[in-house]
Amino acid sequence: MFENLPLFPEQASEQAAQVDALFFFLVAVSAFFAILIAMMVAVFAVKFHRRRQDEVGDAIHGSIPLELFWTFIPLGITMVMFVWGAWLFFHLTRAPKGAMEVYVVGKQWMWKVEHMDGQREINELHVPVGRPVKLIMGSEDVIHSFFIPAFRVKADVIPGRYNTMWFTANAPGRYHIFCTQYCGTKHAAMIGWVTAMEPAGYQAWRSGGGATGGPVENGAKLFQDLACNTCHKEDGSGRGPVLKGLFGKEVQLSSGQTITVDEAYVRESILNPQAKVAAGFQPIMPTFQGLVSEEQVLQLIAYVKSLSGEGSAAPGTSATQAPSPAGGAQPPAPPAKKSGMN
Amino acid sequence: MPDGHAHAAPLDAHGHPHEPAHPKLQHHFDDMGQQAEASTLGMWVFLVTEILFFGGLFMCYLVYRWKSPSGFQEASFELNRVWGATNTAVLIISSLTMALAVRAAQTSAKRGTQVFFLGLTMFFGLVFLGIKAIEYTDKFVHHHVPGPHFHWDGQYPKPAEQFYSLYFAMTGLHAVHMIVGVGIMAVITWMAWRETFDEDYYTPVEVAGLYWHFVDIVWIFLFPLLYLIGGHFKG
Amino acid sequence: MDTITTAPTLNYLNSAHGLASWLLTRDHKRIALLYLVSVTAFFAIGGFFAMMIRLELVTPAADFVQPDTYNKLFTMHGVIMVFFFLIPSIPAVLGNFMLPIMVGAKDLAFPRINLLSWYIYVLGGLFTLTAAVTGGVDTGWTFYAPYSTASSNSHVIMAGVGVFITGFSSILTGLNFIVTVHRMRAPGLTWFRLPLFVWSHYATSLIMILGTPVIAITVLLVAVERGLHLGIFDPALGGDPILFQHLFWFYSHPAVYIMILPAMGVTSEIVQAFARKNIFGYAFVAFSSLAIAIIGFLVWGHHLFVSGQSTYAGLIFSILSFLVAIPSAVKVFNWTATIYKGAVSWDSPMLYAFGFVGLFTIGGLTGLFLASMGLDVHVHDTYFIIAHFHYVMVGGAIMGYLGGLHYWWPKITGRMYPEGWAKFAALTVFVGFNLTFFPQFIVGYLGMPRRYAMYAPEFQVYNVMSSAGASILAVGYVIPLIYFIWSLKYAPLAGKDPWGAKGLEWEIPSPPPTENFAVTPIVTERTHQYAPSREVGIA
C-alpha cells in the first residue's frame, strides 16, 4: 500500500485478531445493509421517477409480514453481535492467572510505569512477547485512559479507584500508547511507546539495571517508615488486624457488611480508614491521605499482597483479584484457553 | 370530499360558537373546558419534569448513603427531628388548606372564604420557611455547613460532609420551590380578592394547588430520608 | 409549480409591523422565525469553531493554535452545536411552525410560554457565548469530573449556567408540544390520523421533559462543586467521578434521540410528499418513534464500558443498545418501501431525504460497532466515535433540518427558492460531508484519539482529506443561506400547495394567516392521504 497511508492498524497482540474478527463481521453486515438500502433507494428513485406533474403513487399501505420480517432479521443479527461482543469483552477484561503485573500511574501529563522488580519507566512500557501482562492502573489527578491501538485494549484510569487491563503481545515492535480520556492542556502529549520484546531481549532489558527495588521491597520499607508495623503486628498483639495471609480473604466489617480484601480495599483503608473498619477493631487508624503518593500506595498494596503470597512474584494461593468496580459482583473465572474466532 | 374533511357550518369566522366567550377564554382555545384541561395537563407535565429534577439529587443520595451507611446515620442524628416533624405537619396542613381553597373557588364561595384558605396556605408556607431558617442557622453555628468551615466531631467526617452537602442541596432546592410557591400563592390570593374565580373559571387555583401539593410531597420524601436514618438504632 | 402573481393577503408576516410585534409576539409562527434566526447564528458560530479545528488538524503538530486554545475550540464547538443548534433546531423552528397547523389548531397550548422559551434560550446562549469570548471552556462538551470541577481553569461555571438555563427552553417546548397534541387536535383528528411529523415530535417531547431536568441538576452540581469545593464528584474530596458520568449520560444519550427523531419525522413527511404515496407501515413508523424514545432512556451506560463499571451492568446496556437500533431500522425499511411504486420527484427536499436515509443508515450501523462491548473497547474515544455521531447528527439530523426547511420554505415565506441552486447545494453538502467524515472511521480504527491537537504523523493523510471535505461542506451550507435570504424578496411567489402535497398545512395560504385556519377543520381520515384509506397489501 502507499507509504504513509495505513488502512488498518497492525495486530500485535493475541487480542487484536479477536477484536478484528468481530470488526470485520460488523463491517460486512453494515456494508451489506448500507449498499442494499442505497441501491434500493437509487433504483426506486430512478425507476419510479415521476413522469407527469400530476402523477400519484400506488395505493399501498403496508404489509405486516414484511414488517415482521425486517424486524426480526435485524433482531437476530444484532443479538449475534451482542453475544459475540459480550464474550469478547469478558475475555478482554479477565486477566488470566499468573499474568505478569505492572503498575501504571497516570498523572497530568505522563504515564509512570513500575515493574514488579522495581524497574521504572516514564511514558514507556517494556513487555515480553507471548506472556500475559496485566496493568493495574491508578490516577493521581483526573480521569485518563490508557490505550494501545495495536493491542486493541483500553481502560479508563480513574482517580480514587483501580482499573485493570491485560494483553498478550505477540509481535515484537514498538507501538503507540495514547491517553484517550481528555485530561487537560497536554492531553495530546500524554503519549508513549510500548516495546514488545522477544523473551531473550526482554530479559536483557530487565537486567539492564535501573531497578531500585521492586514495589514489594519499597512497600515493606514504607510499612516500617510509616510505622504501620506498630499496630499491624504479625502475632496479633497489635491494635490493628494481622495482615499476613489477609489479602484475597473475606472479612466482616463493624457495620455487618462482608467485603473481600482487594487492592481497592487496601487503598481505602490507607487513605480513609474510618470507611470500612474490620469487625472487632476500634476506628483509631489515622489517615495517610496527603502523606503517601499514588505510587507509594501501590507499593504498600504490593507488600500486603506479598504477605499472602500474592502478586506475580510467587504463585498465588488464591486467585489474583481485580479491584471490584463500584457495586459489581466478583466475575467468574475466565473461560480457559479460548482461541480467536475465525 | 376532495380534501378529506368537512368544515362545520354554524360557526363564526373564528370557528367559535356564537354565544359570548368567557372573558378569560384565550383566543386559541375553543372553549373553557379545553383551556382548563390544557392548563392542568400542562402543570402535570411540568411536575413530571420536577420529579426528574429532584430525582438527580435523590440518585446522589442513594449512591452516597449506600457507600457510607453508618456515616449517614451518624450525620442524620445531628438534625433536629422535632423541627423536621413540625415542618412535615405544617406542610401537610397547608396542603389541606390549599385543597379547601381550590374547593372554595370551585364552588363559587365568597371571596372572603377563598382568600382565607389561600392566605392560610401562604402562612403555613412561611412558617415552614421560617423553621428552615432556624435549622440552617443552627447548622451554621455548629459548623456543619460543608466547605472550608466544616467541622465534625464524630467518627465519619467525610460522609458527614457529603450528607450535609446533600441536605443543603435537597432542602435548599425544596426551599426555593417553596418560596416560588408562596409567591404564586400571593398572586392567586390577590386574584381571588379581585373576585376572579368561580365555578366557571378556577383553573389558576387548581394549577397552583397541584404545584403546592407536589412541593409538599417532595418534603414527605426528604423528611424520612434526611432526618430519620437509622431511627430505630439507639446507641 | 405555478407562479402566482397575485400578492398574498393579510398573513402572519404582514399582520403587524415593528420590532415589538416580533419580540413580544405570541404567534407560534413568528416565534419559529425568531428561533430560525438565533439557531442559524449559533450554527454559524459552532461551524466557525469546526473550521478552526479542521484547519489545525491539517498538520500533525499544534502549529495553527496552541493546544490550550484547541481544547477550548472543540469544547465550544460541541457545546454550541449540541445545546444551541441540534437540540432546538427542528423542534423549535419547524415544530413550532408546523405542529399547531398539523393538528388543526390556531396556536400551541401555551403561546406565552412558547415566547418565554425563546427568551430563555437566548439568555442561556448569551451566558455560554460570554464564557466563550472571555476565555473559553476546555473541558469538552461532556464536562467530565474531576477535571471540570477541580482541574480546569476555564469558565466552566459560566458555560454550565448557560447550558442549565437553556435546558428550561427545551423543557418548556416539550411541555407545550405534549399538551398541544393531547388537547388541541381538531375534531376527528384521532391519534392514528396524525402526521408522522407530529408523532416524532411527541416522542421527542417526552424525552425533552424527562431527560433535560437531569442534565440541569448535573450541571448545577458541577458548578456547586467547583465553586464550593464539595465532594460530589471529585474523589479527592470523597466524591465519585463515575456518578457524574452516569448522571450526565442519563440525559445526554436520550438527547441524541431528541436530535434525530424530529429529522426522522421530517423525512417521513418529505418521502410521502415527493413520492406522492402514503407511508408504508404507518403504525409501525409511528410506534417506532415511541420505542426509540423509551428504549433510548435505558442505554446510557454504553458510554461507560471502559470506565470499570460492572460488566453485568454493561451487558444490560449493550443488549438494550442493540435493541434501540431495531425501530430505526424499521423506519429505514419503511421509507424505502414507500418510494417503491411511488411517483418520485427529485426536487431538493427529496434529495435531502435521500441523503438522510443513506447517511443515517451508515451512522446507525456504525452505532452497532459501539454497542458491541468488546469492539467498543478499541474504538471508544477515538475518531471512530466522532465519525459515528457526525454521520447521525450531521448526515442525519442536519440533512433532515435542511430538507424540512426546503420543503416548508414556500409555506413559511410564501416564496419559492431557486431549485437549481438548491439541488447543487444538496449535492455539495453530500459530497463534502462524506469526504469530511468517512476518513475519520478509518483513522479512528487506526487508533487516533479524539480531542488531540497534535497527532501521530501516520494519521495525516486522512486528516487532510477530512479538512478538505470540511471546506466543501461549509460551501454547501453557505449557499442555502444566501438563496433563502435572496428568495424573501426576489423569488417567485409560491401558492398554497406548490409541491402537490397532502396535509393540513397545504390547505391554508402561503404564508398562513395569523389564526392559521379561517374555520376549524373537521378531519375524517388521515391528513396525509395520497390514496383511499382502504388497506391494500403489496401490489
Side-chain angles (χ1 to χ4, degrees):
Chain A
M1 259 293 152
F2 307 118
E3 183 63 31
N4 220 12
L5 194 64
L7 273 178
F8 202 74
E10 55 195 318
Q11 290 178 351
S13 75
E14 285 177 10
Q15 286 71 28
Q18 298 164 350
V19 171
D20 289 347
L22 177 55
F23 177 72
F24 287 125
F25 172 66
L26 272 129
V27 168
V29 171
S30 303
F32 172 76
F33 280 103
I35 293 173
L36 177 73
I37 297 289
M39 280 192 30
M40 284 174 73
V41 169
V43 165
F44 293 165
V46 168
K47 185 161 183 230
F48 301 109
H49 188 39
R50 206 179 279 179
R51 278 167 295 258
R52 293 182 330 268
Q53 254 310 328
D54 59 341
E55 193 178 338
V56 172
D58 283 19
I60 302 173
H61 295 259
S63 154
I64 302 226
L66 205 50
E67 298 283 355
L68 294 175
F69 172 72
W70 62 46
T71 303
F72 284 102
I73 301 276
L75 186 61
I77 298 174
T78 50
M79 287 306 102
V80 168
M81 293 174 180
F82 163 67
V83 170
W84 189 344
W87 172 86
L88 182 58
F89 186 82
F90 267 97
H91 183 61
L92 288 176
T93 51
R94 304 297 193 260
K97 279 192 238 191
M100 185 181 109
E101 288 184 354
V102 178
Y103 292 124
V104 175
V105 172
K107 101 176 204 56
Q108 285 165 324
W109 286 280
M110 65 174 76
W111 294 107
K112 297 197 278 194
V113 174
E114 185 166 353
H115 294 261
M116 290 308 291
D117 65 353
Q119 194 114 351
R120 286 168 193 246
E121 314 187 68
I122 302 257
N123 296 332
E124 294 267 347
L125 171 63
H126 283 75
V127 295
V129 162
R131 183 137 180 242
V133 174
K134 174 176 157 182
L135 305 183
I136 301 173
M137 308 190 287
S139 165
E140 279 188 24
D141 39 39
V142 296
I143 304 182
H144 303 277
S145 189
F146 197 86
F147 178 38
I148 308 172
F151 294 178
R152 314 286 189 277
V153 288
K154 169 190 293 125
D156 280 358
V157 178
I158 299 175
R161 59 184 288 150
Y162 292 126
N163 279 346
T164 64
M165 72 184 218
W166 79 278
F167 53 81
T168 303
N170 64 4
R174 260 165 85 75
Y175 310 105
H176 286 295
I177 299 171
F178 293 131
C179 175
T180 36
Q181 185 61 250
Y182 177 71
C183 53
T185 310
K186 295 214 190 126
H187 167 60
M190 194 164 158
I191 59 179
W193 295 97
V194 172
T195 306
M197 312 175 89
E198 294 289 4
Y202 181 71
Q203 278 310 116
W205 175 80
R206 279 287 276 266
S207 42
T212 52
V216 174
E217 290 170 32
N218 286 331
K221 190 165 177 307
L222 274 170
F223 197 79
Q224 293 230 349
D225 290 349
L226 295 168
C228 313
N229 55 351
T230 54
C231 291
H232 293 284
K233 294 203 166 106
E234 275 198 15
D235 58 4
S237 64
R239 278 162 287 183
V242 172
L243 300 182
K244 188 174 173 62
L246 184 63
F247 196 88
K249 297 261 180 2
E250 291 210 334
V251 295
Q252 198 176 39
L253 303 178
S254 57
S255 62
Q257 240 185 318
T258 306
I259 52 96
T260 308
V261 178
D262 58 8
E263 284 96 340
Y265 176 65
V266 176
R267 181 178 183 281
E268 190 178 27
S269 302
I270 295 170
L271 300 177
N272 187 12
Q274 316 303 335
K276 295 192 175 72
V277 179
F281 290 91
Q282 295 301 311
I284 51 171
M285 175 173 166
T287 172
F288 289 83
Q289 178 98 44
L291 299 171
V292 286
S293 71
E294 283 295 334
E295 284 170 273
Q296 289 175 322
V297 171
L298 282 169
Q299 290 162 355
L300 285 164
I301 290 174
Y303 171 65
V304 169
K305 278 163 94 162
S306 73
L307 296 177
S308 301
E310 283 301 331
S312 59
T317 47
S318 52
T320 307
Q321 300 279 3
S324 330
Q330 280 302 315
K337 287 282 178 18
K338 273 285 210 295
S339 54
M341 303 268 282
N342 281 313
Chain B
M1 288 169 287
D3 57 5
H5 47 264
H7 298 278
L11 295 170
D12 66 13
H14 287 284
H16 290 154
H18 278 287
E19 62 257 26
H22 192 285
K24 288 294 184 184
L25 179 66
Q26 292 173 45
H27 80 284
H28 56 287
F29 288 114
D30 292 335
D31 53 56
M32 294 300 284
Q34 187 190 42
Q35 181 174 289
E37 285 183 353
S39 302
T40 43
L41 178 61
M43 179 49 83
W44 279 109
V45 172
F46 176 69
L47 295 180
V48 167
T49 74
E50 292 275 53
I51 295 175
L52 270 299
F53 195 47
F54 278 94
L57 288 176
F58 279 96
M59 276 302 115
C60 290
Y61 172 94
L62 202 152
V63 166
Y64 287 117
R65 178 167 167 183
W66 173 84
K67 277 192 174 182
S68 336
S70 312
F72 264 45
Q73 185 179 323
E74 183 184 85
S76 164
F77 197 67
E78 293 302 313
L79 286 175
N80 189 318
R81 289 175 185 176
V82 173
W83 282 134
T86 307
N87 257 350
T88 309
V90 163
L91 276 192
I92 292 177
I93 297 172
S94 80
S95 266
L96 172 64
T97 56
M98 184 72 230
L100 290 169
V102 174
R103 178 156 172 74
Q106 205 174 22
T107 54
S108 298
K110 295 199 315 285
R111 72 170 174 184
T113 314
Q114 295 185 33
V115 167
F116 173 67
F117 285 124
L118 288 169
L120 256 192
T121 308
M122 250 201 304
F123 167 73
F124 285 125
L126 289 169
V127 167
F128 177 90
L129 289 168
I131 294 178
K132 279 251 68 67
I134 295 173
E135 289 185 274
Y136 278 12
T137 311
D138 180 69
K139 286 283 142 252
F140 181 74
V141 160
H142 283 98
H143 296 286
H144 288 165
V145 175
H149 302 293
F150 185 80
H151 178 77
W152 188 257
D153 287 319
Q155 188 184 336
Y156 304 98
K158 269 272 149 52
E161 192 167 10
Q162 271 168 355
F163 174 86
Y164 280 102
S165 297
L166 283 166
Y167 169 79
F168 280 105
M170 294 167 94
T171 60
L173 188 64
H174 179 262
V176 166
H177 282 79
M178 278 301 301
I179 294 171
V180 168
V182 169
I184 293 175
M185 279 309 127
V187 170
I188 301 287
T189 309
W190 176 77
M191 287 169 82
W193 179 253
R194 302 270 316 265
E195 296 186 325
T196 317
F197 306 122
D198 58 21
E199 66 205 6
D200 291 324
Y201 178 68
Y202 62 95
T203 321
V205 189
E206 185 174 9
V207 152
L210 284 173
Y211 177 81
W212 191 267
H213 294 314
F214 171 77
V215 178
D216 181 13
I217 290 175
V218 170
W219 178 260
I220 307 281
F221 280 89
L222 289 182
F223 173 60
L225 286 177
L226 292 172
Y227 287 79
L228 300 181
I229 300 179
H232 56 287
F233 296 145
K234 276 296 174 230
Chain C
M1 64 212 91
D2 306 314
T3 313
I4 312 294
T5 48
T6 49
T9 50
L10 196 63
N11 58 60
Y12 79 99
L13 285 172
N14 59 24
S15 60
H17 297 278
L19 195 59
S21 76
W22 282 91
L23 294 180
L24 297 175
T25 182
R26 290 178 201 181
D27 181 358
H28 65 102
K29 299 182 286 301
R30 287 193 167 205
I31 295 173
L33 293 186
L34 290 175
Y35 268 109
L36 175 62
V37 169
S38 29
V39 145
T40 306
F42 278 112
F43 181 65
I45 299 172
F48 166 74
F49 289 133
M51 284 313 296
M52 301 287 283
I53 291 171
R54 288 296 352 148
L55 281 171
E56 169 55 63
L57 292 179
V58 169
T59 60
D63 45 11
F64 181 61
V65 293
Q66 294 293 318
D68 201 37
T69 309
Y70 182 82
N71 297 338
K72 293 173 181 170
L73 288 173
F74 69 68
T75 302
M76 297 313 304
H77 168 72
V79 169
I80 288 181
M81 286 304 204
V82 168
F83 292 111
F84 297 96
F85 178 68
L86 283 165
I87 298 239
S89 58
I90 300 178
V93 177
L94 300 172
N96 256 332
F97 202 102
M98 290 300 157
L99 196 112
I101 298 175
M102 285 184 174
V103 301
K106 297 187 195 70
D107 207 314
L108 289 176
F110 308 115
R112 285 171 297 188
I113 290 183
N114 199 11
L115 182 67
L116 176 67
S117 147
W118 181 75
Y119 276 107
I120 292 175
Y121 164 79
V122 170
L123 181 64
L126 286 176
F127 266 91
T128 308
L129 285 178
T130 307
V133 302
T134 56
V137 190
D138 75 336
T139 58
W141 83 276
T142 48
F143 292 109
Y144 270 23
Y147 181 75
S148 61
T149 57
S151 180
S152 168
N153 49 10
S154 62
H155 295 292
V156 176
I157 295 183
M158 191 170 337
V161 166
V163 168
F164 176 81
I165 293 173
T166 300
F168 288 102
S169 168
S170 205
I171 290 173
L172 292 176
T173 298
L175 190 156
N176 229 335
F177 284 179
I178 289 175
V179 177
T180 305
V181 175
H182 274 280
R183 289 277 170 250
M184 314 264 297
R185 282 171 285 127
L189 187 47
T190 57
W191 282 83
F192 285 100
R193 292 177 178 169
L194 284 169
L196 290 166
F197 181 85
V198 176
W199 275 101
S200 72
H201 276 73
Y202 182 78
T204 304
S205 301
L206 290 176
I207 308 176
M208 279 171 157
I209 61 153
L210 292 174
T212 317
V214 179
I215 189 76
I217 200 77
T218 307
V219 152
L220 205 60
L221 288 173
V222 165
V224 159
E225 173 161 299
R226 190 174 163 85
L228 302 177
H229 301 291
L230 305 177
I232 310 168
F233 304 127
D234 184 354
L237 300 171
D240 188 344
I242 306 294
L243 177 63
F244 172 82
Q245 293 186 28
H246 281 287
L247 287 174
F248 178 83
W249 288 112
F250 183 81
Y251 163 76
S252 299
H253 188 85
V256 312
Y257 298 116
I258 296 179
M259 300 180 221
I260 199 66
L261 277 171
M264 291 171 157
V266 169
T267 302
S268 290
E269 297 301 321
I270 292 179
V271 164
Q272 289 179 96
F274 290 86
R276 293 239 180 93
K277 187 162 168 281
N278 286 16
I279 191 79
F280 191 94
Y282 171 90
F284 284 87
V285 179
F287 280 124
S288 67
S289 292
L290 292 178
I292 291 171
I294 295 169
I295 305 176
F297 266 105
L298 305 174
V299 303
W300 78 88
H302 65 228
H303 299 268
L304 283 86
F305 283 151
V306 300
S307 67
Q309 106 184 322
S310 148
T311 306
Y312 297 103
L315 286 176
I316 297 174
F317 287 122
S318 173
I319 196 171
L320 285 163
S321 302
F322 281 109
L323 289 180
V324 82
I326 305 294
S328 295
V330 165
K331 281 188 200 270
V332 170
F333 292 127
N334 276 296
W335 290 321
T336 309
T338 304
I339 309 175
Y340 175 78
K341 291 204 174 172
V344 180
S345 143
W346 294 0
D347 284 328
S348 43
M350 193 56 154
L351 293 183
Y352 279 108
F354 288 151
F356 176 92
V357 172
L359 299 178
F360 170 74
T361 299
I362 296 175
L365 287 168
T366 55
L368 299 176
F369 289 65
L370 312 178
S372 192
M373 294 164 84
L375 196 46
D376 185 65
V377 169
H378 177 64
V379 295
H380 176 73
D381 261 334
T382 65
Y383 262 80
F384 195 94
I385 306 270
I386 295 188
H388 159 74
F389 67 68
H390 282 89
Y391 260 83
V392 280
M393 295 208 288
V394 181
I398 298 188
M399 296 279 255
Y401 177 63
L402 287 173
L405 272 185
H406 283 78
Y407 178 45
W408 281 305
W409 190 259
K411 178 58 56 184
I412 293 172
T413 62
R415 300 275 180 170
M416 182 52 82
Y417 56 84
E419 175 62 24
W421 278 106
K423 284 196 168 74
F424 175 71
L427 284 170
T428 308
V429 164
F430 186 81
V431 167
F433 171 83
N434 280 298
L435 185 56
T436 308
F437 291 107
F438 197 84
Q440 294 185 5
F441 282 123
I442 304 176
V443 85
Y445 201 80
L446 280 170
M448 179 173 171
R450 51 186 296 199
R451 298 172 167 168
Y452 264 38
M454 36 276 194
Y455 54 82
E458 63 263 33
F459 300 143
Q460 183 173 20
V461 176
Y462 297 105
N463 276 286
V464 170
M465 276 191 234
S466 186
S467 296
S471 31
I472 299 174
L473 185 59
V475 169
Y477 286 141
V478 167
I479 296 175
L481 187 63
I482 298 173
Y483 63 64
F484 274 146
I485 296 176
W486 176 91
S487 76
L488 292 174
K489 202 151 181 240
Y490 301 107
L493 295 173
K496 198 172 66 162
D497 183 11
W499 305 117
K502 290 276 195 281
L504 286 177
E505 75 266 32
W506 302 111
E507 297 176 20
I508 59 179
S510 309
T514 303
E515 297 275 281
N516 297 338
F517 299 95
V519 177
T520 303
I522 294 184
V523 178
T524 56
E525 58 173 2
R526 210 182 290 162
T527 57
H528 287 48
Q529 284 283 23
Y530 292 90
S533 44
R534 188 175 52 91
E535 287 290 312
V536 179
I538 298 269

